[in-house]
Amino acid sequence: MAYYRTDCIEKPISKVFEKLAHLVGSHPVWFFVIPLIVSAALGGGLYFLKDYEDNDVENQFTPINGPSKLARHFVKETFPNNDSLFSSQRLYAEGNYAVIIYSIVEGNFRTDELFEETSDLDKVVHNLSVKERKDVFLGSTVGGVEERDGVIQKARAIRLFYFLQDKPGASQWLQQFQNVLSNETLSRGLKVSRFTSQSRQEEIEKHTTDGIPLFSITYSLAISFSVLSCMRLDNVRNKFWVSCMGVLSAGLAVVSSFGLMLYFKVPFVITVANSPFLILGIGVDDMFIMLSNWQQTKVKDPVEKRMAETFKEAAMSITITSLTDVLGFYIGLMREFRSVQAFCLYTSTSIIFCYIYNILFFGSFLALNGRREQSNRHWLTCCKLPAQSPKGKSLAYRLCCVGGDYDQETGAEKQQPITHFFKSYYGPFITKPWMKVCVMFLYAGYLAGGIYGCLHLQQGINMRDLAADDSYVVNYYDDDRKFFSRYGPNVMVVVTEEFPYWNKSSRSELNHCMGKLHNLRFVNKNLSVSWLDFYLEYAESKSLNLDNENVFMGNLSSFLMLYPELMLDVNVTEGKINASRFFVQTLDISNASMEIMMFHELRDTAQSCSATKLLVFHPLFIYLDQYSVIVSSTIQNVGFTTAVMLVVSLLLIPNPLCSLWVTFSIGSVITGVTGFMALWGVNLDSISMIILVVCIGFTVDFSAHISYAFVSSKKSTANERVIDALFSLGYPVLQGAASTIIGVLVLAASKNHIFRVFFKIMFLVMLFGLAHSIIFIP
């Protein structure tokens, strides 16, 4: 094995860490105090948290240069809104609006009493000073319909839209609308759900800081677990304060990085609220690694020497994981979602601080604690204790006033029971030939389950998930799906260039393109709207020959005067039609998968038109653009990050074969996490994509620690090195995984979907990462 060692980089870096450890061990107070001062100074940036919150749904959760944003810009410039000819289906943006859905459990809106009560509430809303509504497409207004011979027999829901002009006071009107609807009481089982153009934004902003109390609980749980897992019955060797400082070190890293980012005015997005949970896991994991290596040093050696031996192994191990994590997150800055960029910037900066503070702040406290142990002082009172109990002393005295015992044979601290378990039982068990075969079958089953889940992975973020479970927004989205899923958006089909509409042959080619759109499974041909078809019918009634350019253009203005709304569909400048638009009505869009199919089919069919350049647009498409990039973006993220991990591992792990196994484990864990998160009901979207990047970091953490311990072992056979690696770092890796799982458990009870998704994926990451590090890789 020595022949394959490539330690030309690892060895000199280890020497640097030895010298740094000697410096920290010699002057621990300075390295303890300075990070506290730096954290206090940088933490002042948290004062600006509210000022730099940016949870604009479109800005943060849609692709930065999405094609629908470019399409919207074209529609806005070519077909500007006209308040005097208002048409909701012709809006290029959602605008300011309010919506009410009235629904009933039993009965029928054809009943005069129920319809009258709905009408009364409608009048209340109109008394808030809004202009008279115009007729709208009935399919989006009446829902839960039962028909017979084209006549509505029963309707279970009515939806009313109230559009506002974009003028000062619109926000106040919408707030007043909310107040009226929340206080209005209805009888006879009539249910009301509401929504406004501000609802999504208000809900996500309301819950941005929901993670703060959860983070407090998480820190309490992490401290409790760390303290319990580091507790010793020995009054001198007890690591109570060491574990507390390890958790504090992660907290200081979060405060410092967040404050620094806010000083630089980096937007704080709700996705960033997940970052502290990640940093806590990384920090505590690194703490356990350093503590494990410290406990293997000789207790009688000077503190400086013990620190040097600890840093030689542990600091190198956490350098590998921290470096790969940081580089992985910086790669995320190139992604198409601003929410992903913000998360990666905050998190990568936090990892840098976490790494520095673990080396300096936690390392200095480890040295201070080592000095206390060297003087054989009590962990709480710091009073000097005898190493052996004097004769005649009571049991209570021996339990409380005696300490400092150690392994006389090795000169190191006594092994903990679970460390002994890894060395004497688990290690020999996992290396038996028949057990290796069983592990191979276990891994095959795991991989099969992961691949099966990947094949059934759903895409896209459900807008209802951006609100809390108890929000009125959720009720609205549920009612919308329940009663109004029959018809989808009314989509614009825009001819983006000059076109000879009067040319019969060219018109036939255009009609052929429109026919392909009409024949799509999600389009209702009979509900399409075409100014050109209306014009041809008008010409036929007037006996006009529209195959002549002069006749076509000469009669166009008089035709449009008869149909004012159609004037909004034709852009005529200097006697030329520069652009025009038609409308197709989609239907049966009941879930995200159907939205994806509808979106891609419409766009692909429009782009395939050979007659002219067509684009399809609806304000909803701004959010559907994520479907075009989410898979490719995730694959690029994983691919680039994995490549970086391989390079770093090859440089810093002194064995190329183990570097390849670390890289392979990344793909293996990602496959499992992606597959099982799909089976757990988690979609692939910008939020889960972020957490999958996190997955890569933790995968490297677990596998790199064990692999580095394996190649650093001085044992002669592979099985002996496996046992030695599990003895050295099996328990710290288990501690790290358990502490993170315990930390994120509180998120499972959150009423916010984003935090629950974080819990699900992090749980899978910890479970599968741990399985790879202590089962599959060994």
Side-chain angles (χ1 to χ4, degrees), residues 650-666:
L650 286 171
L651 291 175
L652 298 182
I653 296 179
N655 184 284
L657 187 59
C658 280
S659 300
L660 292 175
W661 280 112
V662 170
T663 306
F664 175 77
S665 71
I666 295 173

mmCIF file with all atom_site columns, all heavy atoms in Angstrom, residues 650-666:
data_model
loop_
_atom_site.group_PDB
_atom_site.id
_atom_site.type_symbol
_atom_site.label_atom_id
_atom_site.label_alt_id
_atom_site.label_comp_id
_atom_site.label_asym_id
_atom_site.label_entity_id
_atom_site.label_seq_id
_atom_site.pdbx_PDB_ins_code
_atom_site.Cartn_x
_atom_site.Cartn_y
_atom_site.Cartn_z
_atom_site.occupancy
_atom_site.B_iso_or_equiv
_atom_site.pdbx_formal_charge
_atom_site.auth_seq_id
_atom_site.auth_comp_id
_atom_site.auth_asym_id
_atom_site.auth_atom_id
_atom_site.pdbx_PDB_model_num
ATOM 1   N N   . LEU A 1 650 ? -7.705  13.695 -4.584 1.00 0.00 ? 650 LEU A N   1
ATOM 2   C CA  . LEU A 1 650 ? -6.463  13.180 -5.155 1.00 0.00 ? 650 LEU A CA  1
ATOM 3   C C   . LEU A 1 650 ? -5.246  13.936 -4.637 1.00 0.00 ? 650 LEU A C   1
ATOM 4   O O   . LEU A 1 650 ? -4.169  13.366 -4.439 1.00 0.00 ? 650 LEU A O   1
ATOM 5   C CB  . LEU A 1 650 ? -6.510  13.269 -6.678 1.00 0.00 ? 650 LEU A CB  1
ATOM 6   C CG  . LEU A 1 650 ? -7.399  12.237 -7.397 1.00 0.00 ? 650 LEU A CG  1
ATOM 7   C CD1 . LEU A 1 650 ? -7.528  12.577 -8.872 1.00 0.00 ? 650 LEU A CD1 1
ATOM 8   C CD2 . LEU A 1 650 ? -6.841  10.825 -7.221 1.00 0.00 ? 650 LEU A CD2 1
ATOM 9   N N   . LEU A 1 651 ? -5.440  15.246 -4.405 1.00 0.00 ? 651 LEU A N   1
ATOM 10  C CA  . LEU A 1 651 ? -4.322  16.061 -3.937 1.00 0.00 ? 651 LEU A CA  1
ATOM 11  C C   . LEU A 1 651 ? -4.023  15.857 -2.460 1.00 0.00 ? 651 LEU A C   1
ATOM 12  O O   . LEU A 1 651 ? -2.857  15.863 -2.043 1.00 0.00 ? 651 LEU A O   1
ATOM 13  C CB  . LEU A 1 651 ? -4.621  17.542 -4.199 1.00 0.00 ? 651 LEU A CB  1
ATOM 14  C CG  . LEU A 1 651 ? -4.629  17.996 -5.664 1.00 0.00 ? 651 LEU A CG  1
ATOM 15  C CD1 . LEU A 1 651 ? -5.068  19.436 -5.760 1.00 0.00 ? 651 LEU A CD1 1
ATOM 16  C CD2 . LEU A 1 651 ? -3.253  17.810 -6.293 1.00 0.00 ? 651 LEU A CD2 1
ATOM 17  N N   . LEU A 1 652 ? -5.080  15.674 -1.659 1.00 0.00 ? 652 LEU A N   1
ATOM 18  C CA  . LEU A 1 652 ? -4.890  15.700 -0.208 1.00 0.00 ? 652 LEU A CA  1
ATOM 19  C C   . LEU A 1 652 ? -5.005  14.343 0.482  1.00 0.00 ? 652 LEU A C   1
ATOM 20  O O   . LEU A 1 652 ? -4.540  14.193 1.601  1.00 0.00 ? 652 LEU A O   1
ATOM 21  C CB  . LEU A 1 652 ? -5.890  16.679 0.415  1.00 0.00 ? 652 LEU A CB  1
ATOM 22  C CG  . LEU A 1 652 ? -5.757  18.150 -0.038 1.00 0.00 ? 652 LEU A CG  1
ATOM 23  C CD1 . LEU A 1 652 ? -6.770  19.023 0.678  1.00 0.00 ? 652 LEU A CD1 1
ATOM 24  C CD2 . LEU A 1 652 ? -4.346  18.665 0.209  1.00 0.00 ? 652 LEU A CD2 1
ATOM 25  N N   . ILE A 1 653 ? -5.677  13.386 -0.144 1.00 0.00 ? 653 ILE A N   1
ATOM 26  C CA  . ILE A 1 653 ? -5.700  12.038 0.438  1.00 0.00 ? 653 ILE A CA  1
ATOM 27  C C   . ILE A 1 653 ? -4.556  11.253 -0.186 1.00 0.00 ? 653 ILE A C   1
ATOM 28  O O   . ILE A 1 653 ? -4.519  11.077 -1.410 1.00 0.00 ? 653 ILE A O   1
ATOM 29  C CB  . ILE A 1 653 ? -7.042  11.328 0.172  1.00 0.00 ? 653 ILE A CB  1
ATOM 30  C CG1 . ILE A 1 653 ? -8.186  12.069 0.865  1.00 0.00 ? 653 ILE A CG1 1
ATOM 31  C CG2 . ILE A 1 653 ? -6.992  9.883  0.656  1.00 0.00 ? 653 ILE A CG2 1
ATOM 32  C CD1 . ILE A 1 653 ? -9.557  11.447 0.647  1.00 0.00 ? 653 ILE A CD1 1
ATOM 33  N N   . PRO A 1 654 ? -3.605  10.784 0.609  1.00 0.00 ? 654 PRO A N   1
ATOM 34  C CA  . PRO A 1 654 ? -2.383  10.190 0.051  1.00 0.00 ? 654 PRO A CA  1
ATOM 35  C C   . PRO A 1 654 ? -2.577  8.787  -0.499 1.00 0.00 ? 654 PRO A C   1
ATOM 36  O O   . PRO A 1 654 ? -1.780  7.897  -0.240 1.00 0.00 ? 654 PRO A O   1
ATOM 37  C CB  . PRO A 1 654 ? -1.423  10.204 1.247  1.00 0.00 ? 654 PRO A CB  1
ATOM 38  C CG  . PRO A 1 654 ? -2.315  10.098 2.433  1.00 0.00 ? 654 PRO A CG  1
ATOM 39  C CD  . PRO A 1 654 ? -3.554  10.842 2.080  1.00 0.00 ? 654 PRO A CD  1
ATOM 40  N N   . ASN A 1 655 ? -3.657  8.602  -1.278 1.00 0.00 ? 655 ASN A N   1
ATOM 41  C CA  . ASN A 1 655 ? -3.888  7.317  -1.925 1.00 0.00 ? 655 ASN A CA  1
ATOM 42  C C   . ASN A 1 655 ? -4.926  7.506  -3.019 1.00 0.00 ? 655 ASN A C   1
ATOM 43  O O   . ASN A 1 655 ? -6.090  7.789  -2.734 1.00 0.00 ? 655 ASN A O   1
ATOM 44  C CB  . ASN A 1 655 ? -4.377  6.289  -0.911 1.00 0.00 ? 655 ASN A CB  1
ATOM 45  C CG  . ASN A 1 655 ? -4.538  4.904  -1.548 1.00 0.00 ? 655 ASN A CG  1
ATOM 46  O OD1 . ASN A 1 655 ? -5.483  4.658  -2.264 1.00 0.00 ? 655 ASN A OD1 1
ATOM 47  N ND2 . ASN A 1 655 ? -3.575  4.027  -1.293 1.00 0.00 ? 655 ASN A ND2 1
ATOM 48  N N   . PRO A 1 656 ? -4.540  7.383  -4.300 1.00 0.00 ? 656 PRO A N   1
ATOM 49  C CA  . PRO A 1 656 ? -5.468  7.643  -5.406 1.00 0.00 ? 656 PRO A CA  1
ATOM 50  C C   . PRO A 1 656 ? -6.685  6.732  -5.394 1.00 0.00 ? 656 PRO A C   1
ATOM 51  O O   . PRO A 1 656 ? -7.790  7.166  -5.719 1.00 0.00 ? 656 PRO A O   1
ATOM 52  C CB  . PRO A 1 656 ? -4.601  7.393  -6.656 1.00 0.00 ? 656 PRO A CB  1
ATOM 53  C CG  . PRO A 1 656 ? -3.193  7.541  -6.186 1.00 0.00 ? 656 PRO A CG  1
ATOM 54  C CD  . PRO A 1 656 ? -3.187  7.071  -4.763 1.00 0.00 ? 656 PRO A CD  1
ATOM 55  N N   . LEU A 1 657 ? -6.506  5.471  -5.028 1.00 0.00 ? 657 LEU A N   1
ATOM 56  C CA  . LEU A 1 657 ? -7.619  4.532  -5.041 1.00 0.00 ? 657 LEU A CA  1
ATOM 57  C C   . LEU A 1 657 ? -8.710  4.952  -4.062 1.00 0.00 ? 657 LEU A C   1
ATOM 58  O O   . LEU A 1 657 ? -9.902  4.924  -4.371 1.00 0.00 ? 657 LEU A O   1
ATOM 59  C CB  . LEU A 1 657 ? -7.127  3.122  -4.714 1.00 0.00 ? 657 LEU A CB  1
ATOM 60  C CG  . LEU A 1 657 ? -8.158  1.992  -4.863 1.00 0.00 ? 657 LEU A CG  1
ATOM 61  C CD1 . LEU A 1 657 ? -8.691  1.937  -6.289 1.00 0.00 ? 657 LEU A CD1 1
ATOM 62  C CD2 . LEU A 1 657 ? -7.550  0.658  -4.472 1.00 0.00 ? 657 LEU A CD2 1
ATOM 63  N N   . CYS A 1 658 ? -8.289  5.374  -2.863 1.00 0.00 ? 658 CYS A N   1
ATOM 64  C CA  . CYS A 1 658 ? -9.271  5.825  -1.874 1.00 0.00 ? 658 CYS A CA  1
ATOM 65  C C   . CYS A 1 658 ? -9.957  7.109  -2.326 1.00 0.00 ? 658 CYS A C   1
ATOM 66  O O   . CYS A 1 658 ? -11.133 7.335  -2.033 1.00 0.00 ? 658 CYS A O   1
ATOM 67  C CB  . CYS A 1 658 ? -8.596  6.028  -0.522 1.00 0.00 ? 658 CYS A CB  1
ATOM 68  S SG  . CYS A 1 658 ? -8.360  4.489  0.378  1.00 0.00 ? 658 CYS A SG  1
ATOM 69  N N   . SER A 1 659 ? -9.239  7.964  -3.052 1.00 0.00 ? 659 SER A N   1
ATOM 70  C CA  . SER A 1 659 ? -9.850  9.186  -3.591 1.00 0.00 ? 659 SER A CA  1
ATOM 71  C C   . SER A 1 659 ? -10.970 8.840  -4.559 1.00 0.00 ? 659 SER A C   1
ATOM 72  O O   . SER A 1 659 ? -12.030 9.489  -4.574 1.00 0.00 ? 659 SER A O   1
ATOM 73  C CB  . SER A 1 659 ? -8.790  10.032 -4.303 1.00 0.00 ? 659 SER A CB  1
ATOM 74  O OG  . SER A 1 659 ? -7.764  10.408 -3.420 1.00 0.00 ? 659 SER A OG  1
ATOM 75  N N   . LEU A 1 660 ? -10.748 7.812  -5.360 1.00 0.00 ? 660 LEU A N   1
ATOM 76  C CA  . LEU A 1 660 ? -11.786 7.375  -6.296 1.00 0.00 ? 660 LEU A CA  1
ATOM 77  C C   . LEU A 1 660 ? -12.992 6.815  -5.553 1.00 0.00 ? 660 LEU A C   1
ATOM 78  O O   . LEU A 1 660 ? -14.139 7.023  -5.953 1.00 0.00 ? 660 LEU A O   1
ATOM 79  C CB  . LEU A 1 660 ? -11.216 6.326  -7.255 1.00 0.00 ? 660 LEU A CB  1
ATOM 80  C CG  . LEU A 1 660 ? -10.156 6.835  -8.247 1.00 0.00 ? 660 LEU A CG  1
ATOM 81  C CD1 . LEU A 1 660 ? -9.578  5.681  -9.050 1.00 0.00 ? 660 LEU A CD1 1
ATOM 82  C CD2 . LEU A 1 660 ? -10.775 7.875  -9.182 1.00 0.00 ? 660 LEU A CD2 1
ATOM 83  N N   . TRP A 1 661 ? -12.735 6.087  -4.444 1.00 0.00 ? 661 TRP A N   1
ATOM 84  C CA  . TRP A 1 661 ? -13.852 5.546  -3.672 1.00 0.00 ? 661 TRP A CA  1
ATOM 85  C C   . TRP A 1 661 ? -14.653 6.671  -3.011 1.00 0.00 ? 661 TRP A C   1
ATOM 86  O O   . TRP A 1 661 ? -15.882 6.602  -2.913 1.00 0.00 ? 661 TRP A O   1
ATOM 87  C CB  . TRP A 1 661 ? -13.340 4.566  -2.614 1.00 0.00 ? 661 TRP A CB  1
ATOM 88  C CG  . TRP A 1 661 ? -13.047 3.213  -3.182 1.00 0.00 ? 661 TRP A CG  1
ATOM 89  C CD1 . TRP A 1 661 ? -11.835 2.621  -3.315 1.00 0.00 ? 661 TRP A CD1 1
ATOM 90  C CD2 . TRP A 1 661 ? -14.003 2.293  -3.721 1.00 0.00 ? 661 TRP A CD2 1
ATOM 91  N NE1 . TRP A 1 661 ? -11.963 1.385  -3.905 1.00 0.00 ? 661 TRP A NE1 1
ATOM 92  C CE2 . TRP A 1 661 ? -13.291 1.156  -4.173 1.00 0.00 ? 661 TRP A CE2 1
ATOM 93  C CE3 . TRP A 1 661 ? -15.379 2.310  -3.877 1.00 0.00 ? 661 TRP A CE3 1
ATOM 94  C CZ2 . TRP A 1 661 ? -13.894 0.053  -4.753 1.00 0.00 ? 661 TRP A CZ2 1
ATOM 95  C CZ3 . TRP A 1 661 ? -16.003 1.207  -4.465 1.00 0.00 ? 661 TRP A CZ3 1
ATOM 96  C CH2 . TRP A 1 661 ? -15.274 0.101  -4.889 1.00 0.00 ? 661 TRP A CH2 1
ATOM 97  N N   . VAL A 1 662 ? -13.974 7.715  -2.563 1.00 0.00 ? 662 VAL A N   1
ATOM 98  C CA  . VAL A 1 662 ? -14.677 8.874  -1.985 1.00 0.00 ? 662 VAL A CA  1
ATOM 99  C C   . VAL A 1 662 ? -15.571 9.518  -3.038 1.00 0.00 ? 662 VAL A C   1
ATOM 100 O O   . VAL A 1 662 ? -16.733 9.851  -2.784 1.00 0.00 ? 662 VAL A O   1
ATOM 101 C CB  . VAL A 1 662 ? -13.665 9.908  -1.438 1.00 0.00 ? 662 VAL A CB  1
ATOM 102 C CG1 . VAL A 1 662 ? -14.372 11.211 -1.070 1.00 0.00 ? 662 VAL A CG1 1
ATOM 103 C CG2 . VAL A 1 662 ? -12.945 9.359  -0.214 1.00 0.00 ? 662 VAL A CG2 1
ATOM 104 N N   . THR A 1 663 ? -15.025 9.678  -4.249 1.00 0.00 ? 663 THR A N   1
ATOM 105 C CA  . THR A 1 663 ? -15.802 10.280 -5.340 1.00 0.00 ? 663 THR A CA  1
ATOM 106 C C   . THR A 1 663 ? -16.974 9.393  -5.727 1.00 0.00 ? 663 THR A C   1
ATOM 107 O O   . THR A 1 663 ? -18.090 9.872  -5.955 1.00 0.00 ? 663 THR A O   1
ATOM 108 C CB  . THR A 1 663 ? -14.891 10.515 -6.559 1.00 0.00 ? 663 THR A CB  1
ATOM 109 O OG1 . THR A 1 663 ? -13.747 11.271 -6.155 1.00 0.00 ? 663 THR A OG1 1
ATOM 110 C CG2 . THR A 1 663 ? -15.633 11.276 -7.647 1.00 0.00 ? 663 THR A CG2 1
ATOM 111 N N   . PHE A 1 664 ? -16.729 8.091  -5.779 1.00 0.00 ? 664 PHE A N   1
ATOM 112 C CA  . PHE A 1 664 ? -17.809 7.164  -6.108 1.00 0.00 ? 664 PHE A CA  1
ATOM 113 C C   . PHE A 1 664 ? -18.924 7.224  -5.067 1.00 0.00 ? 664 PHE A C   1
ATOM 114 O O   . PHE A 1 664 ? -20.109 7.142  -5.404 1.00 0.00 ? 664 PHE A O   1
ATOM 115 C CB  . PHE A 1 664 ? -17.260 5.744  -6.194 1.00 0.00 ? 664 PHE A CB  1
ATOM 116 C CG  . PHE A 1 664 ? -18.320 4.694  -6.403 1.00 0.00 ? 664 PHE A CG  1
ATOM 117 C CD1 . PHE A 1 664 ? -18.900 4.497  -7.640 1.00 0.00 ? 664 PHE A CD1 1
ATOM 118 C CD2 . PHE A 1 664 ? -18.755 3.911  -5.339 1.00 0.00 ? 664 PHE A CD2 1
ATOM 119 C CE1 . PHE A 1 664 ? -19.887 3.536  -7.818 1.00 0.00 ? 664 PHE A CE1 1
ATOM 120 C CE2 . PHE A 1 664 ? -19.737 2.951  -5.510 1.00 0.00 ? 664 PHE A CE2 1
ATOM 121 C CZ  . PHE A 1 664 ? -20.301 2.759  -6.758 1.00 0.00 ? 664 PHE A CZ  1
ATOM 122 N N   . SER A 1 665 ? -18.555 7.375  -3.815 1.00 0.00 ? 665 SER A N   1
ATOM 123 C CA  . SER A 1 665 ? -19.567 7.422  -2.754 1.00 0.00 ? 665 SER A CA  1
ATOM 124 C C   . SER A 1 665 ? -20.464 8.642  -2.899 1.00 0.00 ? 665 SER A C   1
ATOM 125 O O   . SER A 1 665 ? -21.633 8.612  -2.506 1.00 0.00 ? 665 SER A O   1
ATOM 126 C CB  . SER A 1 665 ? -18.897 7.416  -1.377 1.00 0.00 ? 665 SER A CB  1
ATOM 127 O OG  . SER A 1 665 ? -18.242 8.646  -1.121 1.00 0.00 ? 665 SER A OG  1
ATOM 128 N N   . ILE A 1 666 ? -19.924 9.739  -3.478 1.00 0.00 ? 666 ILE A N   1
ATOM 129 C CA  . ILE A 1 666 ? -20.743 10.936 -3.710 1.00 0.00 ? 666 ILE A CA  1
ATOM 130 C C   . ILE A 1 666 ? -21.896 10.599 -4.641 1.00 0.00 ? 666 ILE A C   1
ATOM 131 O O   . ILE A 1 666 ? -23.062 10.853 -4.346 1.00 0.00 ? 666 ILE A O   1
ATOM 132 C CB  . ILE A 1 666 ? -19.892 12.073 -4.306 1.00 0.00 ? 666 ILE A CB  1
ATOM 133 C CG1 . ILE A 1 666 ? -18.824 12.530 -3.317 1.00 0.00 ? 666 ILE A CG1 1
ATOM 134 C CG2 . ILE A 1 666 ? -20.774 13.251 -4.713 1.00 0.00 ? 666 ILE A CG2 1
ATOM 135 C CD1 . ILE A 1 666 ? -17.838 13.520 -3.899 1.00 0.00 ? 666 ILE A CD1 1
#
